[in-house]
């Protein structure tokens, strides 16, 4: 994982994205790091808000593992705003389910 984080840092510094630990890390917008993870569910019809919130928390926990694993990465993100995204992969692309920025949750898809 150490080498993947180093490579991710190189890409992020260039404003690109890179996948680490099943997360897409992106810095396409200046000062913002987007952390995207995908739902484990096969059918979007089975997703609920409760399930989505749990999956979003898992994304945040995985990202924190990356941050705690590398002091260089931790230093890189310290002045950045972090946006967490949960997406649903439908095979030919993905759609946003919800995102969290500065503790504010935004639903991008209507769920039960």
């Amino acid at each position: 994982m150490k080498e993947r984080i180093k490579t991710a840092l190189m890409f992020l510094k260039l404003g690109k994205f890179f996948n680490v630990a099943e997360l897409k890390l992106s810095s396409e917008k200046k000062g913002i790091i987007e952390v995207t993870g995908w739902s484990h569910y096969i059918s979007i019809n089975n997703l609920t808000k409760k399930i989505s919130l749990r999956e979003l928390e898992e994304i945040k926990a995985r990202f924190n593992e990356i941050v705690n694993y590398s002091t260089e990465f931790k230093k890189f993100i310290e002045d950045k705003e972090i946006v967490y995204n949960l997406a649903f992969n439908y095979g030919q692309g993905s759609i946003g389910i919800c995102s969290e920025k500065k503790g504010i949750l935004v639903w991008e898809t209507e769920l039960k």
Side-chain angles (χ1 to χ4, degrees):
M1 178 140 93
K2 186 176 184 176
E3 289 304 313
R4 288 205 62 83
I5 294 171
K6 277 186 173 183
T7 304
L9 271 171
M10 289 188 319
F11 276 77
L12 292 171
K13 287 175 182 177
L14 295 171
K16 308 269 185 206
F17 71 88
F18 196 78
N19 292 346
V20 178
E22 298 179 13
L23 298 175
K24 176 184 172 186
L25 307 178
S26 172
S27 67
E28 295 166 1
K29 299 173 188 167
K30 189 167 178 69
I32 297 174
I33 301 292
E34 292 213 33
V35 179
T36 303
W38 292 268
S39 176
H40 297 291
Y41 279 70
I42 296 170
S43 172
I44 197 166
N45 295 327
N46 295 330
L47 273 177
T48 64
K49 286 186 174 184
K50 184 177 180 178
I51 292 167
S52 298
L53 290 174
R54 186 182 71 235
E55 289 188 320
L56 188 64
E57 288 303 314
E58 290 170 5
I59 290 166
K60 292 163 62 176
R62 260 185 273 143
F63 181 70
N64 283 329
E65 288 174 12
I66 293 169
V67 171
N68 292 329
Y69 192 83
S70 168
T71 54
E72 186 180 2
F73 190 82
K74 189 175 199 170
K75 183 175 170 110
F76 174 74
I77 67 157
E78 66 186 11
D79 62 340
K80 311 274 189 300
E81 188 173 319
I82 309 299
V83 178
Y84 300 98
N85 303 297
L86 173 64
F88 176 79
N89 185 340
Y90 59 89
Q92 305 213 349
S94 57
I95 57 174
I97 300 297
C98 61
S99 63
E100 183 181 315
K101 177 179 175 182
K102 293 183 179 179
I104 299 171
L105 184 67
V106 175
W107 291 99
E108 300 166 34
T109 299
E110 193 74 29
L111 299 174
K112 301 181 247 170

